[in-house]
Amino acid sequence: LYLKTKGGLVWFDEKRMVSLEEAAKLRGEIKGKQYFPFANDDEEDLLVVDADTEAVFEYDLHDGLGHKVCDSVTDYLERYTNDILADHYEFIQGMGVIEKVGIVHPPSGK
């Protein structure tokens, strides 16, 4: 995916996948070197993978590590794919993939 996106062609909610170059730059700004960024928005909010546990977290460049989004990258991508296929999201140019109102997700990691 990284080699094909060139940064910005794949969206995860309001965050876009970053290029390898962007990931390397962002990684230098992240506290805790086990976190690898794979998506960000315009407000310095990231999605990161914990290289030790494979869990996906939100990460703010000013506030640090946020809440756990999913237990693993695989679970995150599977849930996201299932939500898209179930028509829970819509794409809005310039904003990304936006969740439709009234959607309820199963607990994290399920």
Side-chain angles (χ1 to χ4, degrees), residues 15 26 30 37 39-40 44-48 57-59 61:
K15 295 170 182 65
L26 290 167
I30 292 175
N40 74 344
E44 300 183 342
D45 295 321
L46 311 173
L47 287 177
V48 297
F57 290 89
E58 290 186 340
Y59 190 97
L61 289 177

Side-chain angles (χ1 to χ4, degrees), residues 3 22 33 45 54 73 81 83 85 94:
L3 297 176
E22 290 174 299
K33 295 303 177 189
D45 295 321
E54 298 183 16
V73 176
T81 300
D83 284 344
L85 293 173

Side-chain angles (χ1 to χ4, degrees), residues 52-70:
D52 295 333
T53 67
E54 298 183 16
V56 175
F57 290 89
E58 290 186 340
Y59 190 97
D60 182 283
L61 289 177
H62 298 291
D63 298 330
L65 194 64
H67 82 280
K68 183 194 289 187
V69 176
C70 225

Side-chain angles (χ1 to χ4, degrees), residues 43 70 77 79:
E43 298 174 7
C70 225
L77 293 173
R79 184 182 76 192

